[in-house]
Amino acid sequence: MVHVLGSRVLLRPTDPDRTRAFYGGALGLAISREFGTGPERGTVYFLGGGFLEVSGRSESPPAPGLQLWLQVVDVQAAFEELQAAGVQVLRAPVKEPWGLIEMWIADPDGVRIAVVEVPEDHPLRYRP
């Protein structure tokens, strides 16, 4: 068995500066660490219980199946903030049949991001 001590999502964008402006600026993710120099330097962002590393460069956007799931306290407030910041909102907040309130946005390379609120009465919050 592999003993995992930590993890992060590695994202190789087509335009690193534009992508850092999105995650650090428009989304306002806090920086965990930075390394290297130049436009392809690495920036690691906090993602709640995980990390997102934006580093290097790719000739093509990330795999079309790559998606991120970000839980927030208030998805409606996040929706309003992101719209005001000019973020591409693919779908406004909707309460899903499974009980979560979700909206969808996209990063500059088209990576789809679910922004999710877990209501207080949802089973994900159940503590026996």
Side-chain angles (χ1 to χ4, degrees):
M1 176 185 250
V2 176
H3 184 77
V4 177
L5 299 176
S7 65
R8 66 177 69 159
V9 174
L10 303 176
L11 189 61
R12 304 288 184 252
T14 58
D15 183 335
D17 287 332
R18 179 182 68 173
T19 298
R20 274 192 293 278
F22 174 80
Y23 286 103
L27 289 188
L29 298 182
I31 294 173
S32 168
R33 71 179 291 254
E34 296 177 285
F35 56 91
T37 59
E40 296 177 17
R41 68 190 179 279
T43 306
V44 180
Y45 297 97
F46 287 105
L47 281 182
F51 299 94
L52 172 69
E53 178 182 318
V54 174
S55 62
R57 179 185 305 267
S58 176
E59 294 299 317
S60 58
L66 174 66
Q67 299 179 350
L68 301 176
W69 192 91
L70 306 178
Q71 182 181 346
V72 298
V73 172
D74 183 340
V75 76
Q76 184 62 39
F79 171 68
E80 292 167 11
E81 290 175 28
L82 294 172
Q83 268 197 320
V87 171
Q88 178 185 7
V89 176
L90 302 176
R91 196 192 72 192
V94 172
K95 186 163 188 177
E96 299 290 358
W98 46 89
L100 299 176
I101 304 168
E102 298 182 4
M103 78 169 182
W104 285 86
I105 62 175
D107 84 358
D109 277 332
V111 173
R112 292 174 49 91
I113 302 168
V115 181
V116 180
E117 178 181 335
V118 180
E120 289 185 27
D121 62 346
H122 193 276
L124 284 175
R125 291 190 179 217
Y126 174 74
R127 288 174 178 67

